[in-house]
Amino acid sequence: YRHVRLLGACIASVIRQTFTEWEMVVVDDGSDDGTSELAESFGDGRISVVRLPHLGLAALGRSYAEALSRTTAPLVAVLEGDDIWPPSKLETQTKLMEENPSAVLSYGPARLIDDQGLPYALHRHAPRGSAALNQPLGSIIPALVRTDFLVTSTVMIRRAALEVIGGFLQPPGVPYVDLPTWLRLATEGPFVRCDQVLGYWRRHAQQWTIQNVFAVGPDRRPYLLEAAAQAPRGGDRGPL
């Protein structure tokens, strides 16, 4: 929404991918600043633009579902309009997922970049040992409950696993889909962690997480408890 200033760099980072067999759906949540027109101006047949009426973050799950319904690839990656990918991201993760056919999700480190796109820190948090790979099944859940360390721009998901859980999840009153979706996927199969940087996470004054840093957050307990209830029994996952 209203990402015309940053969307060009985002789309260009996809076009520069060394893996070229991708399809990209840009979902515009009713922007009035030329966001859709910018996305369409690239003239790349692999890029399609969906214009939706503006409903804000409360309807983020709707936007994700719309994009997913317009794609067919067996692997799915999400790139927010203010973030970018390193050129080898898709190639690296596609190989990882092919080499680990039982994995439902792969992820890795992210570089934090400022408003101008300059890197200033490395985010590489993950639990120790096999829990980072969600082995045994559900063992990554306690770490995710404490903090959502999976940076969305580094994540790749197997479509079949997404379909099993009903797609991207956005519980009522929650202004995001990432953590609920990761938690539910953690009950379906192992994860794969890459050591290479897989995304650039831009931190700037206009993003929701910065503007609401001191706001009272949504009640996470219902979907956290649901994830815990759905997690396979067995193994030492620690307290939720």
Side-chain angles (χ1 to χ4, degrees):
Y1 179 63
R2 292 179 176 172
H3 269 1
V4 69
R5 185 174 66 88
L6 301 172
L7 185 62
C10 170
I11 295 177
S13 77
V14 179
I15 293 176
R16 287 195 296 265
Q17 291 297 302
T18 55
F19 181 91
T20 59
E21 296 180 32
W22 47 261
E23 52 188 342
M24 182 180 193
V25 179
V26 179
V27 181
D28 182 3
D29 184 43
S31 299
D32 54 8
D33 64 347
T35 289
S36 286
E37 290 79 6
L38 174 64
E40 292 166 344
S41 72
F42 282 83
D44 191 314
R46 297 169 294 180
I47 302 173
S48 59
V49 180
V50 179
R51 301 176 187 232
L52 298 177
H54 178 59
L55 292 178
L57 292 175
L60 192 61
R62 173 207 64 168
S63 297
Y64 276 52
E66 183 67 29
L68 193 61
S69 72
R70 293 171 181 260
T71 62
T72 59
L75 299 173
V76 178
V78 177
L79 182 60
E80 302 294 354
D82 48 1
D83 296 337
I84 57 178
W85 281 341
S88 61
K89 181 249 176 20
L90 292 181
E91 181 178 6
T92 298
Q93 283 187 283
T94 297
K95 289 180 179 178
L96 272 178
M97 297 298 274
E98 289 174 348
E99 293 167 356
N100 297 273
S102 64
V104 299
L105 181 150
S106 65
Y107 70 102
R111 290 212 179 274
L112 305 185
I113 58 176
D114 65 16
D115 190 67
Q116 303 303 314
L118 298 175
Y120 64 88
L122 178 65
H123 176 96
R124 58 182 305 120
H125 179 75
R128 295 180 179 177
S130 60
L133 307 178
N134 196 35
Q135 294 182 346
L137 202 61
S139 58
I140 202 171
I141 290 177
L144 281 172
V145 167
R146 287 189 288 271
T147 179
D148 181 7
F149 56 85
L150 299 185
V151 177
T152 303
S153 62
T154 77
V155 169
M156 181 176 282
I157 307 167
R158 201 173 300 279
R159 175 185 290 270
L162 264 181
E163 292 174 346
V164 167
I165 69 170
F168 291 98
L169 306 178
Q170 184 176 22
V174 175
Y176 47 78
V177 302
D178 49 1
L179 181 56
T181 302
W182 312 155
L183 288 169
R184 185 66 182 84
L185 285 169
T187 71
E188 295 297 326
F191 291 5
V192 180
R193 186 171 187 271
C194 179
D195 291 330
Q196 299 179 36
V197 170
L198 297 175
Y200 291 84
W201 183 17
R202 193 186 303 269
R203 309 293 282 158
H204 58 96
Q206 286 73 44
Q207 65 190 154
W208 181 87
T209 51
I210 297 296
Q211 292 181 341
N212 293 275
V213 66
F214 296 115
V216 176
D219 186 358
R220 306 191 313 158
R221 289 172 297 178
Y223 73 79
L224 294 180
L225 290 172
E226 181 180 0
Q230 293 172 339
R233 299 297 99 184
D236 181 13
R237 294 195 305 277
L240 293 179

